[in-house]
Amino acid sequence: MGADRFSTATRLKALGTALVQGPVAARVYRAGPPRRSRLTGRAALLALVVCSLVVALAYPMRQWVTQRSDIAEQRHRTEQAREQVQRLRDEKARLEDPAYVEQQAREHLHFVRPGETGYTVVDGSGTNRPRRDEGAADRPWYSNLFDGVDGSDGHR
Protein backbone atom coordinates (compact mmCIF):
# COMPACT_ATOMS: atom_id res chain seq x y z
CA MET A 1 0.00 0.00 0.00
CA GLY A 2 1.31 3.30 -1.02
CA ALA A 3 0.59 6.73 0.30
CA ASP A 4 -2.75 6.62 -1.47
CA ARG A 5 -5.53 5.00 0.57
CA PHE A 6 -7.77 4.05 -2.36
CA SER A 7 -6.82 2.82 -5.75
CA THR A 8 -7.74 4.55 -8.96
CA ALA A 9 -10.40 1.91 -9.70
CA THR A 10 -12.09 2.53 -6.37
CA ARG A 11 -12.10 6.28 -7.00
CA LEU A 12 -13.59 5.88 -10.47
CA LYS A 13 -16.29 3.58 -9.08
CA ALA A 14 -17.20 6.12 -6.37
CA LEU A 15 -17.27 8.92 -8.94
CA GLY A 16 -19.54 6.93 -11.26
CA THR A 17 -21.90 6.17 -8.37
CA ALA A 18 -22.02 9.82 -7.45
CA LEU A 19 -22.80 10.83 -11.03
CA VAL A 20 -25.59 8.26 -11.27
CA GLN A 21 -27.15 9.50 -8.05
CA GLY A 22 -27.37 13.06 -9.35
CA PRO A 23 -25.53 16.39 -9.53
CA VAL A 24 -25.79 17.05 -5.78
CA ALA A 25 -24.01 13.81 -4.94
CA ALA A 26 -21.36 14.54 -7.61
CA ARG A 27 -20.58 17.85 -5.96
CA VAL A 28 -20.20 16.24 -2.57
CA TYR A 29 -17.60 13.78 -3.86
CA ARG A 30 -14.14 15.26 -4.17
CA ALA A 31 -11.17 13.53 -5.69
CA GLY A 32 -8.56 15.45 -3.71
CA PRO A 33 -8.14 16.97 -0.32
CA PRO A 34 -10.88 19.38 0.79
CA ARG A 35 -10.43 22.91 -0.58
CA ARG A 36 -10.03 25.72 1.87
CA SER A 37 -11.84 28.95 1.25
CA ARG A 38 -9.56 31.81 0.31
CA LEU A 39 -11.34 34.18 2.68
CA THR A 40 -10.90 32.87 6.17
CA GLY A 41 -12.41 34.35 9.28
CA ARG A 42 -9.12 35.93 10.26
CA ALA A 43 -8.68 37.53 6.83
CA ALA A 44 -12.22 38.93 6.95
CA LEU A 45 -11.59 40.35 10.42
CA LEU A 46 -8.31 41.89 9.27
CA ALA A 47 -10.01 43.45 6.25
CA LEU A 48 -12.75 44.84 8.51
CA VAL A 49 -10.19 46.34 10.89
CA VAL A 50 -8.20 47.91 8.04
CA CYS A 51 -11.34 49.41 6.49
CA SER A 52 -12.42 50.73 9.89
CA LEU A 53 -9.03 52.37 10.39
CA VAL A 54 -9.14 53.97 6.95
CA VAL A 55 -12.62 55.37 7.57
CA ALA A 56 -11.72 56.50 11.09
CA LEU A 57 -8.53 58.26 9.98
CA ALA A 58 -9.83 59.85 6.76
CA TYR A 59 -11.49 62.88 8.41
CA PRO A 60 -8.65 63.68 10.84
CA MET A 61 -6.10 63.40 8.03
CA ARG A 62 -8.13 65.78 5.87
CA GLN A 63 -8.35 68.21 8.77
CA TRP A 64 -4.62 67.93 9.37
CA VAL A 65 -3.81 68.68 5.73
CA THR A 66 -6.23 71.64 5.74
CA GLN A 67 -4.73 73.02 8.92
CA ARG A 68 -1.21 72.68 7.56
CA SER A 69 -2.15 74.71 4.48
CA ASP A 70 -3.88 77.31 6.70
CA ILE A 71 -0.77 77.59 8.85
CA ALA A 72 1.40 78.10 5.76
CA GLU A 73 -0.98 80.78 4.48
CA GLN A 74 -0.96 82.58 7.86
CA ARG A 75 2.85 82.50 7.95
CA HIS A 76 2.91 84.04 4.48
CA ARG A 77 0.49 86.78 5.56
CA THR A 78 2.56 87.45 8.67
CA GLU A 79 5.69 87.84 6.56
CA GLN A 80 3.89 90.26 4.22
CA ALA A 81 2.63 92.27 7.21
CA ARG A 82 6.16 92.47 8.63
CA GLU A 83 7.48 93.74 5.29
CA GLN A 84 4.71 96.35 5.11
CA VAL A 85 5.44 97.50 8.68
CA GLN A 86 9.11 97.87 7.77
CA ARG A 87 8.23 99.88 4.64
CA LEU A 88 5.96 102.16 6.68
CA ARG A 89 8.65 102.66 9.33
CA ASP A 90 11.11 103.63 6.61
CA GLU A 91 8.58 106.04 5.11
CA LYS A 92 7.91 107.55 8.54
CA ALA A 93 11.63 108.05 9.09
CA ARG A 94 11.96 109.76 5.71
CA LEU A 95 8.97 112.03 6.40
CA GLU A 96 10.62 113.21 9.62
CA ASP A 97 13.46 114.63 7.52
CA PRO A 98 12.62 118.23 6.48
CA ALA A 99 14.75 118.00 3.33
CA TYR A 100 12.77 114.99 2.09
CA VAL A 101 9.45 116.72 2.81
CA GLU A 102 10.62 119.79 0.90
CA GLN A 103 11.75 117.66 -2.05
CA GLN A 104 8.37 115.89 -2.19
CA ALA A 105 6.49 119.19 -1.98
CA ARG A 106 8.54 120.67 -4.82
CA GLU A 107 8.21 117.56 -6.97
CA HIS A 108 4.57 116.64 -6.51
CA LEU A 109 2.90 119.90 -5.47
CA HIS A 110 5.15 122.28 -7.47
CA PHE A 111 5.91 124.38 -4.40
CA VAL A 112 8.60 127.06 -4.65
CA ARG A 113 10.43 129.03 -1.97
CA PRO A 114 9.72 132.73 -1.59
CA GLY A 115 11.68 134.65 -4.18
CA GLU A 116 11.99 131.68 -6.57
CA THR A 117 10.21 131.52 -9.89
CA GLY A 118 8.51 128.27 -10.78
CA TYR A 119 8.42 127.02 -14.35
CA THR A 120 6.44 124.23 -15.92
CA VAL A 121 7.93 122.87 -19.11
CA VAL A 122 5.57 121.35 -21.61
CA ASP A 123 7.44 118.84 -23.70
CA GLY A 124 4.62 117.71 -25.92
CA SER A 125 4.50 114.22 -24.54
CA GLY A 126 0.94 114.70 -23.30
CA THR A 127 -1.99 113.56 -25.36
CA ASN A 128 -4.46 116.03 -26.76
CA ARG A 129 -7.88 114.59 -26.36
CA PRO A 130 -10.82 116.38 -27.90
CA ARG A 131 -13.34 117.46 -25.34
CA ARG A 132 -16.40 115.35 -25.31
CA ASP A 133 -19.82 116.89 -25.10
CA GLU A 134 -20.45 117.07 -21.40
CA GLY A 135 -23.91 116.41 -20.14
CA ALA A 136 -25.65 118.68 -17.65
CA ALA A 137 -24.52 116.50 -14.74
CA ASP A 138 -20.84 116.80 -15.73
CA ARG A 139 -20.79 120.61 -15.92
CA PRO A 140 -20.70 123.10 -13.02
CA TRP A 141 -24.07 124.35 -11.81
CA TYR A 142 -23.48 127.90 -12.92
CA SER A 143 -22.87 126.77 -16.54
CA ASN A 144 -26.22 125.03 -16.49
CA LEU A 145 -27.84 128.18 -15.08
CA PHE A 146 -26.35 130.46 -17.77
CA ASP A 147 -27.26 127.98 -20.53
CA GLY A 148 -30.80 127.93 -19.23
CA VAL A 149 -31.05 131.72 -19.20
CA ASP A 150 -29.53 132.01 -22.70
CA GLY A 151 -31.83 129.33 -24.01
CA SER A 152 -34.94 130.96 -22.62
CA ASP A 153 -34.00 134.33 -24.12
CA GLY A 154 -33.46 132.85 -27.57
CA HIS A 155 -36.82 131.10 -27.64
CA ARG A 156 -38.95 134.24 -27.12
Side-chain angles (χ1 to χ4, degrees), residues 19-142:
L19 287 175
V20 169
Q21 289 176 357
V24 175
R27 271 189 264 140
V28 172
Y29 175 75
R30 292 189 184 125
R35 272 188 8 189
R36 287 186 57 124
S37 173
R38 288 181 181 228
L39 183 64
T40 62
R42 287 184 183 175
L45 183 62
L46 180 64
L48 181 65
V49 168
V50 168
C51 289
S52 298
L53 286 175
V54 167
V55 169
L57 293 177
Y59 183 72
M61 286 301 293
R62 192 183 87 198
Q63 290 292 346
W64 181 76
V65 169
T66 303
Q67 288 174 356
R68 295 299 296 170
S69 66
D70 289 346
I71 289 170
E73 181 181 342
Q74 289 300 326
R75 285 182 179 160
H76 181 69
R77 286 184 183 175
T78 302
E79 186 60 34
Q80 285 181 336
R82 283 187 182 134
E83 290 172 1
Q84 183 178 9
V85 166
Q86 187 59 40
R87 282 193 307 268
L88 291 173
R89 283 183 181 156
D90 293 344
E91 182 69 19
K92 180 183 175 190
R94 281 193 303 260
L95 288 174
E96 289 174 353
D97 182 20
Y100 179 75
V101 173
E102 181 181 346
Q103 175 207 1
Q104 294 297 313
R106 287 175 174 264
E107 184 178 324
H108 295 291
L109 302 175
H110 305 290
F111 280 14
V112 293
R113 288 184 165 256
E116 294 180 345
T117 304
Y119 295 101
T120 303
V121 178
V122 180
D123 62 353
S125 64
T127 59
N128 289 335
R129 288 180 277 162
R131 292 196 72 169
R132 59 182 172 87
D133 187 22
E134 296 176 340
D138 295 332
R139 294 184 300 200
W141 65 270
Y142 50 84

Side-chain angles (χ1 to χ4, degrees), residues 4-18 29 31:
D4 208 7
R5 192 170 172 191
F6 299 108
S7 67
T8 306
T10 308
R11 284 187 184 169
L12 286 175
K13 186 176 179 182
L15 182 59
T17 307
Y29 175 75

